Amino acid sequence: MPASSPHGAAPLPGDEMLDLVTEGVTRIAGFGVAAIGLVRGDVLQIVSVAGSDDARAELLGTRTPMHLAMAEIEGADEWGVLRFMPHDRLERETWGWVPDLVPLEGEDAWHPLDSLCAPLESADGELLGLLFIDVPVDGRRPGPEQRRVLSEYTAQASHAAVLALERAELMQQVRLATAAREIVRQIPANRGLQETVDQCCAALADGFSASGVTMQVFDDDLGSSIVLGDASTGIEPELRELGERAAREAWAAQTTLAIQVHVPDPDMPMLRVVGPDQVERVPRDDPARRRMRGAPPDEPPELAVVREHLARFGVGSALLVPIGAGPTCLGSFVLLREPGDPEWTTAETSAALDIGHDLGRVVLNARTFARGEKMLEDLRAVDRYKGTLIATVSHELKNPLSAVTGHLELLEDEDDLPGPVRTSLTAMGRASRRLTRVVDDLLLLGRVGDPDYPVASRPVDLRALVADVLEITAVEAARAGIEVTDVPTQGPVVADGDPEELERVVANLVSNAVKYSTDGGRVGIRLGRRGDVCTLEVTDTGLGISDEDKTRLFTEFFRSTNPTALARPGTGLGLSIVARIVERHRGSIEVESTLGVGSTFRVRLPGTPDPSVPV
């Protein structure tokens, strides 16, 4: 993975959307490290790293010359959107971060110098950055399914890169602003477009002593506009089009448009005599009508329409101010004053135009925020889909597994089976039972992670749960020569929750402590209650957990990077199930561990209001 000198463009800030993408690659796609670099001029800056604290410390914030970064693409094998460069085709010296791993045997084994990345491009093909992937969990080059998942994350990363660069550009514009108006500075950046517009209207009315404000924001995504503020409900479609055209022309000329309404009674119909005892209504576009209204004879008909509309609402004068950024007009706001109020001064129109520039940045930021929220929702939808997929696959596996297990049991009851056949049946039985446990864990993981599946709470005696679990694990602990101690508790420890789920919490923590302890080790269990909080502590003198592993300990399918721990059977689902159960019970879980010394898992759960309530 690339890393180079700290010289180059101004650093980019961290971005939550990019972090979600890299974390997703490491959590779901089966890779230990993922990083995203964004193009900043002639350098590539690493802005997000996930999966390894060492890689993050060495890579994050570094900037690499683009000609070195592009070496990750040029001459590489094309796997769809992915680019793979095997180590034996490298024509440059090794540079950047290289993982510390020993390659496996086989042609598809991953080598520390293998390079896998994906270009991040905008809709028009512009290179925005690179997604780097390294350290496959299985030690092999990715197959078709992994490539498909990585391609999906590449698409998400491209969208996130667009938003991150837009946000960076917007922040640079804000920093370069020399005199931002207090009205705009008081508007928080993390607001949606409608909330931003509402707050702007109120602030502008106060700042300019206006009787009302109407704001029009052009929505390029929808091909329409949003109109908010006073009298907005009475604006006709024709007037919206006129307002948009006037705003764009005013932004191009960097000016404002002041309209004075000379009508004593805006509701009075305009009539004229055309014969004896005959009158007619003066048409809207008749020059005579404009003269009677006090408008100049050469006034454009469009402006006369606007003037009459304002008159119907009792407006004395209006100031249209364009909103924009760079060459783009993003909308406009119209300040309204009542008849008799002062006319607009040069100082006011100049200040309003400056605010139009500032509001352009606010509107862009609100759009970016809205797009970011949509991106986060899309990523959450991917996560929900993952949960649904796991649950569906688990259910589909359950029935065939039951059939396999049942037939294996029937065959094992036969007395005249040859020795090799019986050995095979025994191995098949162990495998099917292990697979059944995996499916059961997946089903439980999906159930406890479903927000639509509520907790069936009732008082639960944790002491009874611990006693049951100790009885179940006693044989396993004795076989391994591990001493398990239950520290006596003063008084009842009654939690509020689902007894089956809380039993699973206790069972998983205790069985893990026994599993990862060495011969002659000790496991201690302590219950307690302080106020309305029940605590469960499970301590062991086992292998311990590294600081790097602690960050991903409760992630689905995560297995320790410790080779000794990996040698012991497990699915990587136990602690993630524990964490989800504790979370849905409004509790917390924490771990203290020292590698080679042991670990302590501490769970806090809400207790029943009255501990004396019978269970």
Side-chain angles (χ1 to χ4, degrees):
M1 284 196 181
S4 191
S5 68
H7 303 293
L12 283 164
D15 190 281
E16 184 181 3
M17 291 174 291
L18 296 176
D19 291 342
L20 283 173
V21 173
T22 53
E23 289 170 8
V25 171
T26 58
R27 286 194 305 109
I28 299 174
F31 282 81
V33 180
I36 290 178
L38 296 183
V39 176
R40 299 288 284 168
D42 60 350
V43 298
L44 184 82
Q45 181 180 332
I46 302 298
V47 297
S48 179
V49 182
S52 167
D53 292 338
D54 292 340
R56 185 181 296 106
E58 186 171 341
L59 292 175
L60 193 61
T62 58
R63 290 179 287 278
T64 301
M66 282 301 299
H67 71 277
L68 290 179
M70 291 305 294
E72 304 288 335
I73 299 178
E74 297 170 356
D77 295 335
E78 294 188 9
W79 295 349
V81 298
L82 303 174
R83 302 292 182 269
F84 174 71
M85 176 70 76
H87 66 280
D88 53 1
R89 292 220 309 264
L90 290 175
E91 298 181 356
R92 55 176 171 79
E93 294 182 359
T94 302
W95 57 280
W97 180 80
V98 178
D100 183 15
L101 60 87
V102 178
L104 303 175
E105 296 294 330
E107 293 182 357
D108 65 337
W110 184 270
H111 191 278
L113 295 181
D114 284 348
S115 173
L116 180 61
C117 67
L120 306 180
E121 298 178 342
S122 64
D124 56 5
E126 177 187 3
L127 181 65
L128 305 175
L130 294 172
L131 168 64
F132 299 94
I133 310 105
D134 208 343
V135 191
V137 174
D138 61 2
R140 303 289 179 183
R141 295 175 182 177
E145 177 59 20
Q146 275 188 298
R147 296 181 194 179
R148 184 191 65 78
V149 174
L150 290 173
S151 298
E152 293 180 1
Y153 273 98
T154 298
Q156 295 291 340
S158 296
H159 293 308
V162 171
L163 297 179
L165 290 172
E166 284 182 356
R167 184 172 295 155
E169 183 66 22
L170 180 58
M171 292 177 64
Q172 185 179 23
Q173 290 178 358
V174 172
R175 284 194 299 269
L176 295 176
T178 57
R181 292 300 184 266
E182 190 66 22
I183 292 174
V184 178
R185 285 202 297 262
Q186 292 175 352
I187 299 174
N190 57 340
R191 293 290 185 272
L193 185 57
Q194 183 161 338
E195 186 177 355
T196 298
V197 169
D198 285 338
Q199 190 166 351
C200 287
C201 289
L204 290 170
D206 292 339
F208 283 88
S209 300
S211 60
V213 180
T214 297
M215 184 171 291
Q216 185 175 18
V217 178
F218 310 144
D219 191 337
D220 292 336
D221 294 335
L222 299 177
S224 59
S225 63
I226 302 171
V227 181
L228 295 172
D230 299 276
S232 61
T233 56
I235 297 180
E236 301 168 359
E238 178 186 3
L239 292 175
R240 295 191 184 191
E241 295 175 5
L242 290 176
E244 181 173 345
R245 186 162 64 247
R248 296 188 188 279
E249 293 175 356
W251 181 257
Q254 286 298 290
T255 187
T256 60
L257 176 62
I259 304 175
Q260 198 70 27
V261 182
H262 303 280
V263 180
D265 183 2
D267 294 325
M268 181 180 66
M270 301 299 296
L271 306 173
R272 62 185 171 192
V273 177
V274 294
D277 300 325
Q278 289 185 330
V279 295
E280 70 176 10
R281 186 179 296 275
V282 179
R284 175 173 289 181
D285 58 349
D286 195 305
R289 182 183 182 93
R290 295 201 297 275
R291 286 195 296 273
M292 286 186 284
R293 292 291 190 194
D298 58 348
E299 180 183 75
E302 294 87 351
L303 191 56
V305 173
V306 175
R307 193 189 301 277
E308 289 192 21
H309 178 81
L310 295 174
R312 287 201 300 272
F313 286 93
V315 176
S317 65
L319 180 68
L320 183 144
V321 184
I323 298 172
T328 306
C329 181
L330 301 171
S332 66
F333 64 91
V334 179
L335 301 170
L336 308 174
R337 283 181 176 170
E338 297 178 354
D341 288 347
E343 295 188 2
W344 305 102
T345 65
T346 302
E348 287 175 327
T349 57
S350 177
L353 187 59
D354 287 343
I355 290 178
H357 284 262
D358 294 334
L359 279 177
R361 290 186 285 273
V362 172
V363 170
L364 280 180
N365 196 53
R367 283 182 177 175
T368 302
F369 176 77
R371 291 170 182 169
E373 288 292 295
K374 186 179 185 303
M375 173 66 69
L376 289 175
E377 180 56 36
D378 290 343
L379 291 175
R380 294 189 188 104
V382 170
D383 191 59
R384 289 193 295 269
Y385 172 75
K386 177 201 70 174
T388 303
L389 181 62
I390 289 175
T392 302
V393 171
S394 301
H395 278 291
E396 291 298 320
L397 287 173
K398 187 73 173 176
N399 290 336
L401 269 175
S402 298
V404 169
T405 303
H407 283 85
L408 283 174
E409 291 175 352
L410 289 175
L411 290 173
E412 288 174 347
D413 289 338
E414 295 293 330
D415 297 329
D416 55 348
L417 293 175
V421 173
R422 187 166 295 280
T423 300
S424 296
L425 287 177
T426 302
M428 293 167 64
R430 285 197 303 268
S432 64
R433 285 190 293 271
R434 183 178 178 184
L435 190 54
T436 299
R437 287 195 298 271
V438 172
V439 171
D440 290 339
D441 283 348
L442 287 172
L443 289 172
L444 179 59
L445 180 68
R447 188 171 72 248
V448 299
D450 186 354
D452 296 327
Y453 182 76
V455 177
S457 294
R458 62 186 180 89
V460 180
D461 185 354
L462 296 183
R463 292 182 305 179
L465 292 186
V466 169
D468 291 342
V469 169
L470 289 180
E471 183 178 348
I472 295 172
T473 58
V475 175
E476 179 185 356
R479 186 184 301 121
I482 297 170
E483 178 186 355
V484 181
T485 305
D486 179 14
V487 179
T489 317
Q490 296 295 328
V493 182
V494 181
D496 184 34
D498 185 305
E500 292 184 2
E501 293 185 12
L502 294 184
E503 181 182 19
R504 189 59 177 266
V505 170
V506 177
N508 280 9
L509 293 179
V510 173
S511 63
N512 272 4
V514 172
K515 180 195 302 183
Y516 295 109
S517 291
T518 55
D519 290 347
R522 297 185 307 277
V523 172
I525 305 167
R526 182 189 298 271
L527 289 172
R529 175 163 181 149
R530 177 172 296 180
D532 294 333
V533 178
C534 298
T535 59
L536 165 69
E537 287 187 6
V538 179
T539 303
D540 64 69
T541 58
L543 302 177
I545 305 166
S546 67
D547 291 338
E548 179 181 345
D549 285 354
K550 287 179 190 176
T551 61
R552 302 176 58 203
L553 195 59
F554 300 107
T555 303
E556 298 93 334
F557 305 104
F558 173 73
R559 298 296 310 278
S560 172
T561 56
N562 186 337
T564 305
L566 284 174
R568 307 188 181 187
T571 63
L573 292 173
L575 287 179
S576 60
I577 290 174
V578 168
R580 289 198 181 186
I581 291 175
V582 170
E583 180 182 359
R584 67 192 250 105
H585 279 74
R586 307 183 311 282
S588 65
I589 183 170
E590 60 188 36
V591 58
E592 298 174 4
S593 185
T594 302
L595 201 60
V597 176
S599 307
T600 296
F601 285 83
R602 186 175 297 106
V603 175
R604 294 183 176 86
L605 295 167
T608 55
D610 183 1
S612 63
V613 173
V615 181

